């Protein structure tokens, strides 16, 4: 069964022949190779590109080991350029090629070479793209399946699909697996591979600390934390010598591998990032489950992660908001509180405040989310995402209420 990734395919199509090196990055197993060497290649053929003008290389295949040497690969690829016509280079797992930056710069310098590569951040950081390629790098970041993409292959009602997506996430191979046991095994193996890559790349001596950190982050996904707090938890979990700077480096390694992303704490009134507190979200809820040994988790935490990831898929920058407010307590004494907006998301001039209130049948949680948003005095749209809103509607205070299903199934849902 083929899973269409039209959003990412279109991003490659509009970048054709732009003179830059197109670098497809993303979490292992998110579908980068299939996007480049199947979906995009088929598009090129359908567009009439001659098959001998598409030059492919998968550096991770055993039969291609000799081409990891640039002195072998570069002459090979130049030898396949027979005329002045346009050639498309589709190079998979480019980080395995020795001195790949020089090789790619050399290919991109040729007027009739259009270069596309895939790589994992564990080996090649996208923040290096622009500097390494002297301004020639053009990143296309690929996420696991969104819920809308997931539902294109799920055979059943979206209520049931959402429960499966909540537990097992959106990695294509996992989605296509037939049984829960097979899905868990795939997720466990992928997580172990990611941890091994992190350990080898960063020369970590104690791989157990990384596994413990992932376990802690999985059980506290979406909870404000700091390196010091994580350090204390790790020490109590059996790593007495670990330090806060080490924890900071380790979370950085996890982010570099696309396993987690952070949401910084943003002071809405002061309009600046506030302190060292962060929320961390797994980029795939299935891997979050694997990191925690598939223990039972609160649905509200998993849903918050799904909302965060959906916003990132849609191209928003996402922070978590705080607002210092002074008001009377129960005995009318002034007290300082800090109501939060779960998410502040921005893209160009657009800005939204979003609260997740996914607790089935609990009206109090929804009202609390509404009260927090009403304390924010600017005029950007404010949204509460619940589990049971029958259809999107606006309250008398101008807050948009919608169910998580309406939010996820329509990429334009924030503009209702």
């Amino acid at each position: 069964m083929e899973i269409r990734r039209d959003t990412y395919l279109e991003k490659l199509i509009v970048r054709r022949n732009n003179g830059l090196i197109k670098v497809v990055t993303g979490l292992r197993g998110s579908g980068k190779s299939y996007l480049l060497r199947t979906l995009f290649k088929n598009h090129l053929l359908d567009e009439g590109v001659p098959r001998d003008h598409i030059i492919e290389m998968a550096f991770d295949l055993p039969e291609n080991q000799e081409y990891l040497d640039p002195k072998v690969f570069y002459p090979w690829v130049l030898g396949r350029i027979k005329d002045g016509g346009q050639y498309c280079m589709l190079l998979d797992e480019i980080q395995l090629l020795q001195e790949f930056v020089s090789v790619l710069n050399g290919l991109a310098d040729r007027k009739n070479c259009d270069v596309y590569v895939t790589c994992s951040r564990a080996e090649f950081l996208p923040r290096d793209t622009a500097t390494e390629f002297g301004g020639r790098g053009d990143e296309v970041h690929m996420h696991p399946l969104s819920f809308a993409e997931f539902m294109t292959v799920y055979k059943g009602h979206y209520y049931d699909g959402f429960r499966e997506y909540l537990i097992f996430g959106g990695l294509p191979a996992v989605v296509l697996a037939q049984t829960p046991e097979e899905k868990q095994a795939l997720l466990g193996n992928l997580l172990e591979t990611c941890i091994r890559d992190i350990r080898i790349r960063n020369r970590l001596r104690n791989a157990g600390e990384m596994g413990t950190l992932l376990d802690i982050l999985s059980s506290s996904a979406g909870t404000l934390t700091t390196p010091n707090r994580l350090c204390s938890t790790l020490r109590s979990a059996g790593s007495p010598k670990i330090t806060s700077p080490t924890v900071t480096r380790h979370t950085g390694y996890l982010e570099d591998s696309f396993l987690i992303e952070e949401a910084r704490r943003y002071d809405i009134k002061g309009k600046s990032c506030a302190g060292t507190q962060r929320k961390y979200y797994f980029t795939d809820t299935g891997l979050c489950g694997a990191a925690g040994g598939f223990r039972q988790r609160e649905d509200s935490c998993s849903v918050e992660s799904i909302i965060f990831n959906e916003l990132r898929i849609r191209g928003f920058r996402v922070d978590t908001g705080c607002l210092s407010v002074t008001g009377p307590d129960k005995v009318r004494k002034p007290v300082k509180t800090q109501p939060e907006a779960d998410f502040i998301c921005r893209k160009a001039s657009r800005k939204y405040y979003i609260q997740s209130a996914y607790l089935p049948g609990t009206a109090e949680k929804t009202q609390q989310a509404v009260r927090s948003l009403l304390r924010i005095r600017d005029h950007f749209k404010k949204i509460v995402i619940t589990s049971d809103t029958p259809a999107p509607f606006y309250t008398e205070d101008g807050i948009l209420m919608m169910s998580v299903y309406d939010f996820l199934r329509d990429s334009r849902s924030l503009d209702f």
Side-chain angles (χ1 to χ4, degrees):
M1 182 184 298
E2 180 176 272
I3 303 177
R4 298 293 301 175
R5 309 302 301 273
D6 292 336
T7 299
Y8 304 103
L9 178 60
E10 182 62 28
K11 289 181 178 181
L12 293 183
I13 292 172
V14 300
R15 287 167 165 80
R16 279 189 65 187
N17 301 319
N18 66 358
L20 302 177
I21 301 166
K22 276 67 73 174
V23 184
V24 183
T25 62
L27 176 69
R28 281 185 177 275
S30 58
K32 302 184 297 297
S33 298
Y34 190 79
L35 169 68
L36 189 66
R37 298 180 56 223
T38 299
L39 298 178
F40 186 59
K41 178 184 175 182
N42 288 342
H43 169 79
L44 294 175
L45 293 172
D46 291 342
E47 288 290 302
V49 177
R51 190 174 293 272
D52 63 355
H53 281 55
I54 301 174
I55 301 176
E56 290 185 80
M57 176 58 68
F59 290 103
D60 60 332
L61 297 181
E63 59 266 31
N64 294 330
Q65 291 300 298
E66 63 179 303
Y67 297 106
L68 300 183
D69 184 347
K71 294 179 180 179
V72 176
F73 172 72
Y74 201 62
W76 173 84
V77 73
L78 293 183
R80 302 195 62 177
I81 300 174
K82 304 294 187 181
D83 53 43
Q86 195 72 14
Y87 285 78
C88 286
M89 311 285 176
L90 309 182
L91 310 178
D92 198 15
E93 301 293 344
I94 192 63
Q95 74 280 348
L96 298 176
L97 172 64
Q98 301 166 30
E99 302 177 23
F100 64 87
V101 173
S102 297
V103 172
L104 294 182
N105 278 329
L107 291 175
D109 197 50
R110 302 178 69 89
K111 301 302 182 183
N112 64 336
C113 289
D114 195 21
V115 183
Y116 302 80
V117 305
T118 73
C119 59
S120 305
R121 193 192 280 192
E123 292 81 13
F124 177 67
L125 305 182
R127 61 171 169 262
D128 293 336
T129 302
T131 56
E132 290 285 7
F133 294 138
R136 286 178 169 174
D138 189 2
E139 183 192 357
V140 174
H141 181 61
M142 193 170 195
H143 297 265
L145 299 180
S146 68
F147 182 64
E149 290 175 320
F150 170 89
M151 286 304 301
T152 63
V153 294
Y154 181 79
K155 300 185 183 303
H157 194 276
Y158 63 81
Y159 283 135
D160 299 321
F162 183 73
R163 295 304 309 172
E164 181 159 324
Y165 187 73
L166 199 69
I167 297 170
F168 296 115
L171 294 173
V174 177
V175 170
L176 295 177
Q178 297 301 307
T179 66
E181 293 77 14
E182 187 180 354
K183 293 176 187 290
Q184 286 192 9
L186 286 169
L187 288 165
N189 290 337
L190 178 59
L191 185 66
E192 289 180 7
T193 300
C194 290
I195 294 174
R196 185 187 67 242
D197 288 344
I198 292 171
R199 179 177 57 82
I200 294 172
R201 173 180 171 79
N202 299 286
R203 300 174 183 176
L204 301 181
R205 295 181 180 179
N206 190 343
E209 284 182 351
M210 185 63 71
T212 304
L213 176 60
L214 279 167
D215 189 359
I216 293 169
L217 291 174
S218 73
S219 63
S220 59
T223 301
L224 280 171
T225 190
T226 64
N228 286 337
R229 192 174 301 164
L230 289 172
C231 183
S232 297
T233 307
L234 278 163
R235 286 176 177 174
S236 65
S239 299
K241 295 183 179 181
I242 198 165
T243 64
S244 180
T246 300
V247 171
T248 299
R249 286 196 298 272
H250 283 7
T251 54
Y253 299 152
L254 294 172
E255 290 182 86
D256 287 344
S257 299
F258 294 114
L259 278 169
I260 64 172
E261 273 200 81
E262 70 170 18
R264 304 175 69 184
R265 193 165 183 259
Y266 185 83
D267 185 338
I268 297 170
K269 187 175 181 180
K271 300 186 184 304
S272 63
C273 290
T276 61
Q277 288 186 312
R278 302 282 190 274
K279 288 185 177 182
Y280 291 100
Y281 297 97
F282 278 75
T283 54
D284 182 77
T285 54
L287 287 175
C288 183
F294 294 101
R295 294 190 299 269
Q296 187 71 30
R297 291 176 293 154
E298 290 187 12
D299 283 353
S300 58
C301 295
S302 298
V303 170
E304 190 173 321
S305 296
I306 288 173
I307 294 172
F308 175 85
N309 290 331
E310 179 66 24
L311 292 169
R312 295 292 293 128
I313 289 171
R314 296 182 190 182
F316 287 96
R317 174 183 172 182
V318 185
D319 297 311
T320 183
C322 64
L323 180 68
S324 295
V325 177
T326 301
D329 63 6
K330 293 181 180 180
V331 294
R332 297 187 177 181
K333 290 184 177 180
V335 61
K336 190 174 183 180
T337 60
Q338 288 190 321
E340 291 190 0
D342 288 329
F343 304 115
I344 305 173
C345 48
R346 304 177 182 85
K347 182 163 61 173
S349 61
R350 298 163 64 190
K351 181 177 178 181
Y352 304 90
Y353 298 101
I354 298 176
Q355 290 282 61
S356 173
Y358 187 89
L359 279 179
T362 306
E364 181 182 351
K365 175 69 174 176
T366 302
Q367 291 305 312
Q368 180 183 341
V370 169
R371 287 195 297 269
S372 292
L373 291 180
L374 289 176
R375 291 175 182 266
I376 302 172
R377 299 303 183 185
D378 64 33
H379 298 288
F380 290 104
K381 183 180 284 190
K382 301 170 179 66
I383 303 166
V384 175
I385 297 176
T386 72
S387 61
D388 52 5
T389 302
F393 71 95
Y394 283 90
T395 68
E396 291 182 355
D397 297 303
I399 292 178
L400 175 60
M401 309 289 293
M402 72 170 66
S403 74
V404 68
Y405 311 107
D406 288 320
F407 168 69
L408 292 173
R409 293 165 64 205
D410 187 345
S411 62
R412 301 165 297 175
S413 58
L414 296 183
D415 297 320
F416 281 156

